[in-house]
Amino acid sequence: MSGKIVVCRCEDVTLHELDEAIAAGHRDLESVKRFTGFGTGFCQGKQCVALCARLLAERGGELPTSPITPRPPFHPIELAKLAALLDDDDEAGGSAP
Amino acid sequence: MHSEASGGCAARRGQGYTASRMVARRLAPPLDTDTVTLRVDGDEVRAVRGEPIAMSLFAAGRLVLGRSVKYHRPRGAVCFSGRCDGCLLRVDGQPSVRTCREPAVDGRTLETQNVLGSAELDLLAATDWFFPGGMDHHRMFTWAKPVNQAMQLVARHVAGIGTLPETAVPVAAVEDVRVDVLVIGAGASGLSAATGCAERGLSVLCVDEEREPGGWLRFDPAARGGSSPRADELAAAALRSGVDLRCDRAVAGLFDEPRGERIALVDGRGALLRVRARAWVIAQGRTEGASAFEGSDLPGVIGAEAAARLLAHGILPGERVVIAGDLATRSAELDALASALKDAGADVTGPVGLGALVRADGRTSVTSVTLQRDGASTKHPSDLLVLGTRTGAAYELASQAGVRAEYRDGVFELAPRAQGGSVWVVGGAADARSFEEAIGQGERAALEILDALTDEPVAELEDGTEGSR
């Protein structure tokens, strides 16, 4: 393997990329997330968000007031299960999850 | 403690999984009647019936289960609790299945995803060397349209995880459940809350993503072999009091419906539960996170909770183990883990502080760990690095239900309960430090819930606990 330090396993985000985001002027967790893509992969940040928040704080960034928004699903779920909701919700006026 | 490296990695140089490697092993041979065979990329792997597949593979020395999405770096299970990306395989034709949540059943077919070659030797790993600092997605190949289009074609073949199933999956059934209280998590605090509510006449559904109730009680290194009389007692009390206790059910999300109603979607085997409740108890415990150092993403780097889970399943996760962690918050726990690993026959270095950790090395899994102590750097031949990072609350579902998650001491914790809300957070997620405290929080929540729900003039309180709307 090369000498990368990976800070987000799911999206292969490196410490170098985090530093580049900060050098590009991003100072808060949400902006750095959008710039690098950390926390947006399979595990949705369960492994990396606190780490990235600490690394950002250590580099003079803002202390986060909250994590990145934890949207559903909490765990990956098959579309075949969500599809089961469609008919019902269509009748009820549409509130697909 | 080790002092110096001495070329102890020679036994692990094989490229395939047939090479002899003593990494993890079972503490006792399984009974013949419990043994099943899994098919992994054409190989046969023996497993214990019903155990998580990711653990079967780990016990068989198959640490490398896949490759990362962009750089094709080796990937293996880290958490064994469904909260990382490490154990994804194609299982019986279904892509990206978390094999730590799938039971070993005779004849199941597992395939590595996203490799050109094998998990151990993936030719696409060249991308890791081609982009030593990482890819700059903001500017890379964007300077000319044809170049950009050509690169997109390449990237689509190189990147990603899994491909769609060959045949359509039948649409699942939906079961509607309406209860007074939904408890998410059947550990010490969740079971106590559920029992407390049910004993007072409330209808309670309690779900847990594990296959057995008891939560951390079953993985505590002090509870050998995953058995815990205390967990059994708490679960039995819940059932006696009338709690609808369902394991192997993960909550996919909490949603606020337009009419002001909140629903939980619960992922069950082959079915989806849509739950409406009047009070919501979140007892999902805590999460270990990653740490940043060279080699932190190598297979063979696992969480301390994962190591305890493997031990509870009768698997010694490594022979030469280094433990590093947040000694300020987890010293006692990591000491207990170190003792349990030593008792099971491992050679253990540490626990040392995370600051002492310099790097983990190995071609596709850990073969050595370098520690810096007292100004001197020492390379320890190892096959397992256990990380006990500072844990934070499992805040995701609570956040979806409107509880604020805030940054405290390098992790995220949940804010204290807002007056008048319908969500109670108990146990590890509420920073309970012991099983006693967790049980106390659960019991207290039950009293508060009874108070809150009986104040409400709801005509349909006895409106049945299950069934369609």
Side-chain angles (χ1 to χ4, degrees):
Chain A
M1 296 205 300
S2 68
K4 293 183 182 70
I5 294 179
V6 172
V7 295
C8 164
R9 296 163 45 90
C10 302
E11 290 295 293
D12 264 345
V13 177
T14 63
L15 185 57
H16 179 77
E17 288 170 303
L18 201 77
D19 284 333
E20 280 183 336
I22 295 166
H26 299 284
R27 284 275 176 275
D28 66 281
L29 196 63
E30 178 67 22
S31 303
V32 175
K33 178 202 86 173
R34 289 201 202 175
F35 196 82
T36 65
F38 82 76
T40 62
F42 193 89
C43 90
Q44 288 287 290
K46 296 181 188 79
Q47 295 285 317
C48 70
V49 169
L51 170 65
C52 290
R54 281 199 297 277
L55 292 169
L56 180 62
E58 282 167 19
R59 284 159 175 73
E62 291 172 20
L63 288 179
T65 49
S66 65
I68 61 173
T69 310
R71 294 187 179 84
F74 177 62
H75 288 315
I77 181 169
E78 293 101 316
L79 289 173
K81 285 183 182 144
L82 296 180
L85 297 167
L86 281 177
D87 286 343
D88 227 47
D89 280 323
D90 284 349
E91 281 165 20
S95 58
Chain B
M1 301 249 166
H2 296 287
S3 57
E4 191 48 68
S6 54
C9 333
R12 312 227 14 241
R13 285 212 184 107
Q15 284 186 346
Y17 275 112
T18 46
S20 68
R21 47 161 67 188
M22 280 301 293
V23 183
R25 61 178 166 80
R26 292 189 190 277
L27 296 172
L31 299 174
D32 279 350
T33 49
D34 282 345
T35 305
V36 296
T37 304
L38 304 172
R39 287 172 213 296
V40 192
D41 290 336
D43 295 347
E44 292 196 341
V45 172
R46 308 248 286 170
V48 174
R49 181 179 292 110
E51 76 183 349
I53 286 174
M55 290 195 183
S56 312
L57 299 178
F58 204 86
R62 298 181 84 104
L63 270 59
V64 190
L65 300 184
R67 292 279 167 161
S68 65
V69 287
K70 284 197 308 201
Y71 304 122
H72 288 259
R73 293 164 70 88
R75 285 285 176 267
V78 176
C79 73
F80 292 92
S81 59
R83 297 180 184 190
C84 76
D85 67 322
C87 68
L88 305 181
L89 290 169
R90 191 175 182 91
V91 179
D92 297 332
Q94 296 302 308
S96 300
V97 174
R98 293 171 300 152
T99 55
C100 68
R101 287 290 184 225
E102 287 298 313
V105 174
D106 202 44
R108 291 195 92 168
T109 304
L110 315 170
E111 295 164 85
T112 306
Q113 308 184 125
N114 191 33
V115 294
L116 188 61
S118 68
E120 279 272 308
L121 192 64
D122 174 17
L123 299 178
L124 295 176
T127 48
D128 194 22
W129 299 98
F130 198 71
F131 300 99
M135 295 181 195
D136 179 356
H137 294 277
H138 305 279
R139 282 182 285 271
M140 189 173 69
F141 301 115
T142 54
W143 33 271
K145 195 175 170 188
V147 177
N148 200 3
Q149 283 170 338
M151 277 317 294
Q152 282 190 30
L153 274 177
V154 175
R156 281 192 189 134
H157 283 95
V158 174
I161 42 170
T163 51
L164 287 172
E166 275 150 29
T167 52
V169 178
V171 171
V174 182
E175 182 188 352
D176 275 299
V177 180
R178 192 181 280 272
V179 285
D180 292 321
V181 189
L182 173 66
V183 179
I184 303 169
S189 64
L191 286 172
S192 305
T195 304
C197 290
E199 277 174 345
R200 293 172 180 86
L202 299 175
S203 60
V204 183
L205 171 65
C206 178
V207 295
D208 196 291
E209 54 192 306
E210 300 291 338
R211 290 167 66 81
E212 282 188 285
W216 194 245
L217 281 165
R218 293 201 189 279
F219 308 119
D220 192 321
R224 295 293 158 87
S227 69
S228 164
R230 200 157 181 202
D232 296 342
E233 279 163 32
L234 287 169
L239 291 171
R240 265 200 313 276
S241 65
V243 173
D244 181 0
L245 176 60
R246 304 194 199 184
C247 289
D248 204 10
R249 301 283 193 286
V251 175
L254 298 176
F255 304 85
D256 285 329
E257 294 273 79
R259 286 159 298 180
E261 203 175 28
R262 177 176 295 141
I263 62 165
L265 292 182
V266 184
D267 188 2
R269 297 272 154 200
L272 187 73
L273 264 62
R274 176 168 40 194
V275 184
R276 291 174 170 81
R278 298 165 64 210
W280 309 77
V281 178
I282 297 179
Q284 285 196 293
R286 303 181 71 74
T287 313
E288 286 182 326
S291 192
F293 54 90
E294 225 176 286
S296 60
D297 59 330
L298 261 180
V301 179
I302 67 171
E305 295 190 351
R309 279 170 185 266
L310 285 156
L311 273 177
H313 276 85
I315 296 164
L316 179 65
E319 292 281 349
R320 289 172 302 176
V321 183
V322 175
I323 303 179
D326 183 47
L327 300 183
T329 56
R330 303 191 65 189
S331 186
E333 195 185 335
L334 295 177
D335 282 341
L337 177 64
S339 303
L341 288 167
K342 280 179 196 164
D343 289 349
D347 183 359
V348 180
T349 300
V352 301
L354 281 171
L357 194 52
V358 179
R359 57 187 293 139
D361 283 296
R363 192 181 64 84
T364 55
S365 65
V366 174
T367 52
S368 72
V369 176
T370 303
L371 300 177
Q372 175 105 35
R373 285 187 291 185
D374 307 321
S377 173
T378 320
K379 193 169 180 176
H380 298 262
S382 316
D383 45 55
L384 187 77
L385 171 58
V386 174
L387 292 182
T389 57
R390 190 183 188 107
T391 59
Y395 59 79
E396 289 85 352
L397 291 177
S399 282
Q400 287 168 21
V403 181
R404 210 159 46 79
E406 51 195 30
Y407 188 68
R408 256 183 259 156
D409 302 322
V411 292
F412 290 97
E413 302 285 1
L414 288 163
R417 199 179 95 83
Q419 278 297 317
S422 60
V423 183
W424 280 260
V425 179
V426 294
D431 210 13
R433 303 294 171 93
S434 66
F435 291 122
E436 286 69 28
E437 193 181 346
I439 290 168
Q441 287 182 354
E443 287 169 347
R444 207 158 42 249
L447 292 175
E448 290 176 12
I449 290 168
L450 186 77
D451 223 33
L453 295 195
T454 44
D455 276 347
E456 281 179 39
V458 177
E460 49 181 359
L461 183 65
E462 302 302 326
D463 182 38
T465 59
E466 278 192 35
S468 299
R469 288 181 285 171

